[in-house]
Amino acid sequence: MTGMMCMSAEHVASGAMTVGDVVMMNGLIYQLSLPLNFLGVVYRELSQFAVDIDSMFALGQSRSAVADAPGARPFLPPRAAAEPLPSLPTVA
């Protein structure tokens, strides 16, 4: 982008382009670079996703350093009673 702007400035100095042409070139280059920037962000996120998934599977296959005591009973959480939600007034 910088190179193209320098070339445009040289053309303005030689009289081959006007300042409006340089502004148009700058806008065109900017509009072309935005989708490329978006594609770069998508690629970086997908790469990080692949690394995270690999780490997650490696963690799932590892052994825990903490073990249950011999004869330990399984933990059974208490069952919570389901209570109905209070009735809300209706708006007419």
Side-chain angles (χ1 to χ4, degrees):
M1 183 170 167
T2 304
M4 291 183 78
M5 292 309 298
C6 289
M7 288 175 59
S8 297
E10 288 177 5
H11 282 82
V12 168
S14 70
M17 290 176 68
T18 64
V19 176
D21 293 336
V22 174
V23 172
M24 181 193 65
M25 287 293 295
N26 189 19
L28 179 66
I29 294 167
Y30 181 73
Q31 287 180 354
L32 290 175
S33 68
L34 285 180
L36 294 175
N37 184 28
F38 177 71
L39 288 176
V41 169
V42 169
Y43 175 75
R44 184 184 67 231
E45 291 297 322
L46 288 174
S47 298
Q48 187 61 45
F49 173 73
V51 169
D52 292 343
I53 289 293
D54 189 41
S55 298
M56 184 182 72
F57 282 124
L59 183 63
Q61 294 175 354
S62 65
R63 287 290 206 198
S64 174
V66 179
D68 289 337
R73 297 185 320 222
F75 175 71
L76 300 173
R79 293 184 59 96
E83 298 178 15
L85 294 174
S87 296
L88 299 175
T90 58
V91 177

